[in-house]
Amino acid sequence: MKNELASAKIPAQIAAELEELENVLDQSIPAKSLDRNLLVATWNIRAFGNITEEWQSDKNDSPRRDMHSLYLISAIVERFDVIAIQEVKANVAGLHQMMEILGDDWSFILTDVTEGDAGNGERMAFVFDTRRVKLSGLASELVVPKEQLDNISAGALREQFARTPYAVSFKSKNETFILVTLHILYGKSSGDRIPELKAIADWMAKWASGSDSYSDNLIALGDFNVDARGDLLHETFISSGLYIPDDLAAVTRSIFNTSKFYDHIAWFNGRSKKSKLNMEYIKGGNFDFVPHVLKNRDLNTQQISWMISDHYPLWAEFSIRD
């Protein structure tokens, strides 16, 4: 990003803010270390669709997200090797602009639009640094066959997922891993989320138990719309043996509510006789961008949520040493 900043015609005040953000990111997120670590992240970027192609939008512009915001988002995204992004909309202008900012070393893969009211016109995307991570052959949207809907487990899914989970395999150094990203239906109450959460947990457990699985390294990440750690939704999600380390489970997800635990990164650690993740987990966390972005724009938190996001990015660092 620093090279791009040097060559781009960015207003001086915005360039200074970006440089300050880069310094904060240096202190907050582990550095990428060649052939030694892997940084995986998930981020629900609120209504990530079109943008206003001006450095600074005004209150009458729709959308409010502008080039200033997009450079800030890109500065955060580039800190990770691969990041799952939820709420990518049908209009992918913002995504394409972000990829231009990130440069030629970056690529992405995404789903088509999920149709229907529950799908909210959204896509699932993975954005990745091709110097550190390569696609390794598998890309699949998870659809449950009609014959199996009644056999997942009691209280589980009775229809298809509102927004189809997306599984993609990657390779970093000698490690192949599969990331499964999802955005669980929010519904009218927390109970409306249980069938999807239970179905994805059961589906992943079956995959992790299979002798013919594509890779033992299976990681679920995304917006699970879990309200609180230890509540019924959380217990439903981990009932199949999915594991969330304590440090990653404890951090804040929402810029509005510190008690919400919507987003997760989880995997099987071998305790439930499922395939154990080969990669060693080092640590994880979030990134609270709110104090460091759009500081001279006189915006409230709600406005910032539409320009950046209402979710913090959540990340996990793994070792990939020989």
Side-chain angles (χ1 to χ4, degrees), residues 99-124:
M99 299 309 300
E100 288 188 20
I101 294 169
L102 291 171
D104 293 339
D105 291 324
W106 287 79
S107 189
F108 70 95
I109 185 170
L110 80 166
T111 65
D112 200 354
V113 177
T114 302
E115 301 289 350
D117 292 341
N120 199 31
E122 294 179 18
R123 308 172 187 265
M124 303 284 191

PDB file of all heavy atoms in Angstrom, residues 99-124:
ATOM      1  N   MET A  99      -9.598  -3.726  -5.522  1.00  0.00           N
ATOM      2  CA  MET A  99      -8.567  -4.571  -6.113  1.00  0.00           C
ATOM      3  C   MET A  99      -7.553  -3.731  -6.887  1.00  0.00           C
ATOM      4  O   MET A  99      -6.350  -4.041  -6.882  1.00  0.00           O
ATOM      5  CB  MET A  99      -9.198  -5.625  -7.034  1.00  0.00           C
ATOM      6  CG  MET A  99     -10.154  -6.590  -6.338  1.00  0.00           C
ATOM      7  SD  MET A  99      -9.495  -7.377  -4.846  1.00  0.00           S
ATOM      8  CE  MET A  99      -8.073  -8.242  -5.507  1.00  0.00           C
ATOM      9  N   GLU A 100      -7.997  -2.669  -7.523  1.00  0.00           N
ATOM     10  CA  GLU A 100      -7.060  -1.771  -8.205  1.00  0.00           C
ATOM     11  C   GLU A 100      -6.129  -1.102  -7.209  1.00  0.00           C
ATOM     12  O   GLU A 100      -4.930  -0.922  -7.466  1.00  0.00           O
ATOM     13  CB  GLU A 100      -7.829  -0.719  -9.010  1.00  0.00           C
ATOM     14  CG  GLU A 100      -8.514  -1.273 -10.245  1.00  0.00           C
ATOM     15  CD  GLU A 100      -9.101  -0.173 -11.117  1.00  0.00           C
ATOM     16  OE1 GLU A 100      -8.666   0.995 -10.970  1.00  0.00           O
ATOM     17  OE2 GLU A 100      -9.977  -0.480 -11.931  1.00  0.00           O
ATOM     18  N   ILE A 101      -6.674  -0.701  -6.068  1.00  0.00           N
ATOM     19  CA  ILE A 101      -5.851  -0.072  -5.027  1.00  0.00           C
ATOM     20  C   ILE A 101      -4.831  -1.068  -4.483  1.00  0.00           C
ATOM     21  O   ILE A 101      -3.655  -0.737  -4.281  1.00  0.00           O
ATOM     22  CB  ILE A 101      -6.744   0.463  -3.886  1.00  0.00           C
ATOM     23  CG1 ILE A 101      -7.620   1.606  -4.397  1.00  0.00           C
ATOM     24  CG2 ILE A 101      -5.899   0.931  -2.705  1.00  0.00           C
ATOM     25  CD1 ILE A 101      -8.721   2.016  -3.426  1.00  0.00           C
ATOM     26  N   LEU A 102      -5.242  -2.314  -4.257  1.00  0.00           N
ATOM     27  CA  LEU A 102      -4.347  -3.332  -3.721  1.00  0.00           C
ATOM     28  C   LEU A 102      -3.231  -3.681  -4.699  1.00  0.00           C
ATOM     29  O   LEU A 102      -2.118  -4.011  -4.288  1.00  0.00           O
ATOM     30  CB  LEU A 102      -5.141  -4.590  -3.347  1.00  0.00           C
ATOM     31  CG  LEU A 102      -6.073  -4.456  -2.143  1.00  0.00           C
ATOM     32  CD1 LEU A 102      -6.955  -5.696  -2.015  1.00  0.00           C
ATOM     33  CD2 LEU A 102      -5.297  -4.235  -0.857  1.00  0.00           C
ATOM     34  N   GLY A 103      -3.519  -3.645  -5.974  1.00  0.00           N
ATOM     35  CA  GLY A 103      -2.483  -3.858  -6.977  1.00  0.00           C
ATOM     36  C   GLY A 103      -2.457  -5.252  -7.569  1.00  0.00           C
ATOM     37  O   GLY A 103      -3.253  -6.137  -7.215  1.00  0.00           O
ATOM     38  N   ASP A 104      -1.497  -5.481  -8.458  1.00  0.00           N
ATOM     39  CA  ASP A 104      -1.449  -6.691  -9.273  1.00  0.00           C
ATOM     40  C   ASP A 104      -1.133  -7.959  -8.491  1.00  0.00           C
ATOM     41  O   ASP A 104      -1.326  -9.066  -9.007  1.00  0.00           O
ATOM     42  CB  ASP A 104      -0.410  -6.525 -10.397  1.00  0.00           C
ATOM     43  CG  ASP A 104      -0.819  -5.470 -11.420  1.00  0.00           C
ATOM     44  OD1 ASP A 104      -2.029  -5.171 -11.504  1.00  0.00           O
ATOM     45  OD2 ASP A 104       0.075  -4.964 -12.121  1.00  0.00           O
ATOM     46  N   ASP A 105      -0.617  -7.832  -7.287  1.00  0.00           N
ATOM     47  CA  ASP A 105      -0.284  -9.016  -6.489  1.00  0.00           C
ATOM     48  C   ASP A 105      -1.495  -9.602  -5.767  1.00  0.00           C
ATOM     49  O   ASP A 105      -1.363 -10.612  -5.075  1.00  0.00           O
ATOM     50  CB  ASP A 105       0.797  -8.679  -5.455  1.00  0.00           C
ATOM     51  CG  ASP A 105       2.137  -8.391  -6.096  1.00  0.00           C
ATOM     52  OD1 ASP A 105       2.464  -9.043  -7.115  1.00  0.00           O
ATOM     53  OD2 ASP A 105       2.857  -7.508  -5.615  1.00  0.00           O
ATOM     54  N   TRP A 106      -2.643  -8.985  -5.953  1.00  0.00           N
ATOM     55  CA  TRP A 106      -3.846  -9.419  -5.246  1.00  0.00           C
ATOM     56  C   TRP A 106      -4.877  -9.963  -6.223  1.00  0.00           C
ATOM     57  O   TRP A 106      -4.955  -9.530  -7.373  1.00  0.00           O
ATOM     58  CB  TRP A 106      -4.445  -8.259  -4.457  1.00  0.00           C
ATOM     59  CG  TRP A 106      -3.630  -7.937  -3.242  1.00  0.00           C
ATOM     60  CD1 TRP A 106      -2.468  -7.217  -3.190  1.00  0.00           C
ATOM     61  CD2 TRP A 106      -3.906  -8.359  -1.909  1.00  0.00           C
ATOM     62  NE1 TRP A 106      -2.000  -7.167  -1.907  1.00  0.00           N
ATOM     63  CE2 TRP A 106      -2.862  -7.854  -1.093  1.00  0.00           C
ATOM     64  CE3 TRP A 106      -4.916  -9.114  -1.324  1.00  0.00           C
ATOM     65  CZ2 TRP A 106      -2.816  -8.086   0.276  1.00  0.00           C
ATOM     66  CZ3 TRP A 106      -4.879  -9.336   0.039  1.00  0.00           C
ATOM     67  CH2 TRP A 106      -3.836  -8.832   0.832  1.00  0.00           C
ATOM     68  N   SER A 107      -5.667 -10.918  -5.735  1.00  0.00           N
ATOM     69  CA  SER A 107      -6.737 -11.481  -6.551  1.00  0.00           C
ATOM     70  C   SER A 107      -7.944 -11.763  -5.669  1.00  0.00           C
ATOM     71  O   SER A 107      -7.886 -11.604  -4.442  1.00  0.00           O
ATOM     72  CB  SER A 107      -6.259 -12.759  -7.239  1.00  0.00           C
ATOM     73  OG  SER A 107      -7.205 -13.221  -8.193  1.00  0.00           O
ATOM     74  N   PHE A 108      -9.044 -12.193  -6.304  1.00  0.00           N
ATOM     75  CA  PHE A 108     -10.248 -12.508  -5.537  1.00  0.00           C
ATOM     76  C   PHE A 108     -11.038 -13.590  -6.249  1.00  0.00           C
ATOM     77  O   PHE A 108     -10.854 -13.858  -7.444  1.00  0.00           O
ATOM     78  CB  PHE A 108     -11.117 -11.262  -5.333  1.00  0.00           C
ATOM     79  CG  PHE A 108     -11.795 -10.765  -6.589  1.00  0.00           C
ATOM     80  CD1 PHE A 108     -13.098 -11.149  -6.899  1.00  0.00           C
ATOM     81  CD2 PHE A 108     -11.141  -9.906  -7.465  1.00  0.00           C
ATOM     82  CE1 PHE A 108     -13.721 -10.706  -8.052  1.00  0.00           C
ATOM     83  CE2 PHE A 108     -11.757  -9.446  -8.622  1.00  0.00           C
ATOM     84  CZ  PHE A 108     -13.045  -9.845  -8.922  1.00  0.00           C
ATOM     85  N   ILE A 109     -11.931 -14.217  -5.496  1.00  0.00           N
ATOM     86  CA  ILE A 109     -12.891 -15.165  -6.038  1.00  0.00           C
ATOM     87  C   ILE A 109     -14.179 -14.960  -5.267  1.00  0.00           C
ATOM     88  O   ILE A 109     -14.153 -14.721  -4.053  1.00  0.00           O
ATOM     89  CB  ILE A 109     -12.368 -16.622  -5.922  1.00  0.00           C
ATOM     90  CG1 ILE A 109     -13.324 -17.606  -6.596  1.00  0.00           C
ATOM     91  CG2 ILE A 109     -12.087 -17.006  -4.480  1.00  0.00           C
ATOM     92  CD1 ILE A 109     -12.736 -19.012  -6.728  1.00  0.00           C
ATOM     93  N   LEU A 110     -15.318 -15.009  -5.957  1.00  0.00           N
ATOM     94  CA  LEU A 110     -16.584 -14.720  -5.286  1.00  0.00           C
ATOM     95  C   LEU A 110     -17.724 -15.488  -5.917  1.00  0.00           C
ATOM     96  O   LEU A 110     -17.613 -15.999  -7.040  1.00  0.00           O
ATOM     97  CB  LEU A 110     -16.885 -13.233  -5.277  1.00  0.00           C
ATOM     98  CG  LEU A 110     -17.464 -12.542  -6.523  1.00  0.00           C
ATOM     99  CD1 LEU A 110     -17.997 -11.168  -6.166  1.00  0.00           C
ATOM    100  CD2 LEU A 110     -16.422 -12.407  -7.619  1.00  0.00           C
ATOM    101  N   THR A 111     -18.827 -15.546  -5.188  1.00  0.00           N
ATOM    102  CA  THR A 111     -20.028 -16.215  -5.665  1.00  0.00           C
ATOM    103  C   THR A 111     -20.852 -15.264  -6.525  1.00  0.00           C
ATOM    104  O   THR A 111     -20.614 -14.050  -6.560  1.00  0.00           O
ATOM    105  CB  THR A 111     -20.912 -16.668  -4.497  1.00  0.00           C
ATOM    106  OG1 THR A 111     -21.391 -15.505  -3.800  1.00  0.00           O
ATOM    107  CG2 THR A 111     -20.156 -17.553  -3.538  1.00  0.00           C
ATOM    108  N   ASP A 112     -21.845 -15.839  -7.183  1.00  0.00           N
ATOM    109  CA  ASP A 112     -22.860 -15.030  -7.836  1.00  0.00           C
ATOM    110  C   ASP A 112     -23.777 -14.467  -6.741  1.00  0.00           C
ATOM    111  O   ASP A 112     -23.674 -14.811  -5.567  1.00  0.00           O
ATOM    112  CB  ASP A 112     -23.653 -15.879  -8.828  1.00  0.00           C
ATOM    113  CG  ASP A 112     -24.380 -15.044  -9.867  1.00  0.00           C
ATOM    114  OD1 ASP A 112     -24.357 -13.791  -9.757  1.00  0.00           O
ATOM    115  OD2 ASP A 112     -24.981 -15.632 -10.784  1.00  0.00           O
ATOM    116  N   VAL A 113     -24.699 -13.620  -7.134  1.00  0.00           N
ATOM    117  CA  VAL A 113     -25.633 -13.007  -6.187  1.00  0.00           C
ATOM    118  C   VAL A 113     -26.613 -14.055  -5.669  1.00  0.00           C
ATOM    119  O   VAL A 113     -27.108 -14.891  -6.426  1.00  0.00           O
ATOM    120  CB  VAL A 113     -26.421 -11.864  -6.871  1.00  0.00           C
ATOM    121  CG1 VAL A 113     -27.447 -11.271  -5.921  1.00  0.00           C
ATOM    122  CG2 VAL A 113     -25.466 -10.792  -7.358  1.00  0.00           C
ATOM    123  N   THR A 114     -26.866 -14.024  -4.364  1.00  0.00           N
ATOM    124  CA  THR A 114     -27.898 -14.870  -3.772  1.00  0.00           C
ATOM    125  C   THR A 114     -29.245 -14.177  -3.956  1.00  0.00           C
ATOM    126  O   THR A 114     -29.466 -13.094  -3.416  1.00  0.00           O
ATOM    127  CB  THR A 114     -27.642 -15.104  -2.272  1.00  0.00           C
ATOM    128  OG1 THR A 114     -26.347 -15.698  -2.118  1.00  0.00           O
ATOM    129  CG2 THR A 114     -28.696 -16.025  -1.696  1.00  0.00           C
ATOM    130  N   GLU A 115     -30.128 -14.792  -4.725  1.00  0.00           N
ATOM    131  CA  GLU A 115     -31.423 -14.190  -5.009  1.00  0.00           C
ATOM    132  C   GLU A 115     -32.396 -14.416  -3.850  1.00  0.00           C
ATOM    133  O   GLU A 115     -32.174 -15.242  -2.971  1.00  0.00           O
ATOM    134  CB  GLU A 115     -31.998 -14.785  -6.295  1.00  0.00           C
ATOM    135  CG  GLU A 115     -31.111 -14.584  -7.524  1.00  0.00           C
ATOM    136  CD  GLU A 115     -31.070 -13.137  -8.001  1.00  0.00           C
ATOM    137  OE1 GLU A 115     -31.881 -12.323  -7.504  1.00  0.00           O
ATOM    138  OE2 GLU A 115     -30.231 -12.829  -8.869  1.00  0.00           O
ATOM    139  N   GLY A 116     -33.513 -13.677  -3.883  1.00  0.00           N
ATOM    140  CA  GLY A 116     -34.553 -13.825  -2.861  1.00  0.00           C
ATOM    141  C   GLY A 116     -34.372 -12.816  -1.742  1.00  0.00           C
ATOM    142  O   GLY A 116     -33.284 -12.284  -1.516  1.00  0.00           O
ATOM    143  N   ASP A 117     -35.451 -12.547  -1.027  1.00  0.00           N
ATOM    144  CA  ASP A 117     -35.420 -11.544   0.037  1.00  0.00           C
ATOM    145  C   ASP A 117     -34.404 -11.891   1.118  1.00  0.00           C
ATOM    146  O   ASP A 117     -33.665 -11.033   1.598  1.00  0.00           O
ATOM    147  CB  ASP A 117     -36.812 -11.390   0.663  1.00  0.00           C
ATOM    148  CG  ASP A 117     -37.819 -10.758  -0.293  1.00  0.00           C
ATOM    149  OD1 ASP A 117     -37.369 -10.121  -1.280  1.00  0.00           O
ATOM    150  OD2 ASP A 117     -39.035 -10.896  -0.060  1.00  0.00           O
ATOM    151  N   ALA A 118     -34.369 -13.154   1.519  1.00  0.00           N
ATOM    152  CA  ALA A 118     -33.457 -13.556   2.588  1.00  0.00           C
ATOM    153  C   ALA A 118     -31.995 -13.427   2.164  1.00  0.00           C
ATOM    154  O   ALA A 118     -31.118 -13.159   2.979  1.00  0.00           O
ATOM    155  CB  ALA A 118     -33.746 -14.990   3.028  1.00  0.00           C
ATOM    156  N   GLY A 119     -31.739 -13.622   0.870  1.00  0.00           N
ATOM    157  CA  GLY A 119     -30.372 -13.513   0.370  1.00  0.00           C
ATOM    158  C   GLY A 119     -29.851 -12.098   0.335  1.00  0.00           C
ATOM    159  O   GLY A 119     -28.642 -11.865   0.309  1.00  0.00           O
ATOM    160  N   ASN A 120     -30.758 -11.116   0.295  1.00  0.00           N
ATOM    161  CA  ASN A 120     -30.389  -9.704   0.383  1.00  0.00           C
ATOM    162  C   ASN A 120     -29.455  -9.265  -0.738  1.00  0.00           C
ATOM    163  O   ASN A 120     -28.706  -8.300  -0.579  1.00  0.00           O
ATOM    164  CB  ASN A 120     -29.747  -9.416   1.749  1.00  0.00           C
ATOM    165  CG  ASN A 120     -29.755  -7.938   2.092  1.00  0.00           C
ATOM    166  OD1 ASN A 120     -30.661  -7.194   1.685  1.00  0.00           O
ATOM    167  ND2 ASN A 120     -28.749  -7.504   2.828  1.00  0.00           N
ATOM    168  N   GLY A 121     -29.490  -9.947  -1.872  1.00  0.00           N
ATOM    169  CA  GLY A 121     -28.670  -9.547  -3.013  1.00  0.00           C
ATOM    170  C   GLY A 121     -27.183  -9.564  -2.728  1.00  0.00           C
ATOM    171  O   GLY A 121     -26.426  -8.756  -3.272  1.00  0.00           O
ATOM    172  N   GLU A 122     -26.736 -10.517  -1.913  1.00  0.00           N
ATOM    173  CA  GLU A 122     -25.336 -10.541  -1.472  1.00  0.00           C
ATOM    174  C   GLU A 122     -24.522 -11.627  -2.160  1.00  0.00           C
ATOM    175  O   GLU A 122     -25.055 -12.622  -2.637  1.00  0.00           O
ATOM    176  CB  GLU A 122     -25.255 -10.747   0.042  1.00  0.00           C
ATOM    177  CG  GLU A 122     -25.824  -9.595   0.846  1.00  0.00           C
ATOM    178  CD  GLU A 122     -25.752  -9.842   2.343  1.00  0.00           C
ATOM    179  OE1 GLU A 122     -24.979 -10.723   2.773  1.00  0.00           O
ATOM    180  OE2 GLU A 122     -26.488  -9.163   3.084  1.00  0.00           O
ATOM    181  N   ARG A 123     -23.215 -11.412  -2.170  1.00  0.00           N
ATOM    182  CA  ARG A 123     -22.232 -12.398  -2.605  1.00  0.00           C
ATOM    183  C   ARG A 123     -21.281 -12.694  -1.444  1.00  0.00           C
ATOM    184  O   ARG A 123     -21.182 -11.903  -0.506  1.00  0.00           O
ATOM    185  CB  ARG A 123     -21.386 -11.847  -3.766  1.00  0.00           C
ATOM    186  CG  ARG A 123     -22.150 -11.282  -4.952  1.00  0.00           C
ATOM    187  CD  ARG A 123     -21.164 -10.612  -5.886  1.00  0.00           C
ATOM    188  NE  ARG A 123     -21.803  -9.884  -6.977  1.00  0.00           N
ATOM    189  CZ  ARG A 123     -22.020 -10.389  -8.186  1.00  0.00           C
ATOM    190  NH1 ARG A 123     -21.671 -11.636  -8.447  1.00  0.00           N
ATOM    191  NH2 ARG A 123     -22.577  -9.663  -9.130  1.00  0.00           N
ATOM    192  N   MET A 124     -20.570 -13.805  -1.543  1.00  0.00           N
ATOM    193  CA  MET A 124     -19.458 -14.130  -0.652  1.00  0.00           C
ATOM    194  C   MET A 124     -18.171 -13.989  -1.449  1.00  0.00           C
ATOM    195  O   MET A 124     -18.113 -14.404  -2.608  1.00  0.00           O
ATOM    196  CB  MET A 124     -19.572 -15.564  -0.138  1.00  0.00           C
ATOM    197  CG  MET A 124     -20.861 -15.864   0.582  1.00  0.00           C
ATOM    198  SD  MET A 124     -20.896 -15.172   2.239  1.00  0.00           S
ATOM    199  CE  MET A 124     -22.365 -16.006   2.852  1.00  0.00           C
TER     200      MET A 124
END
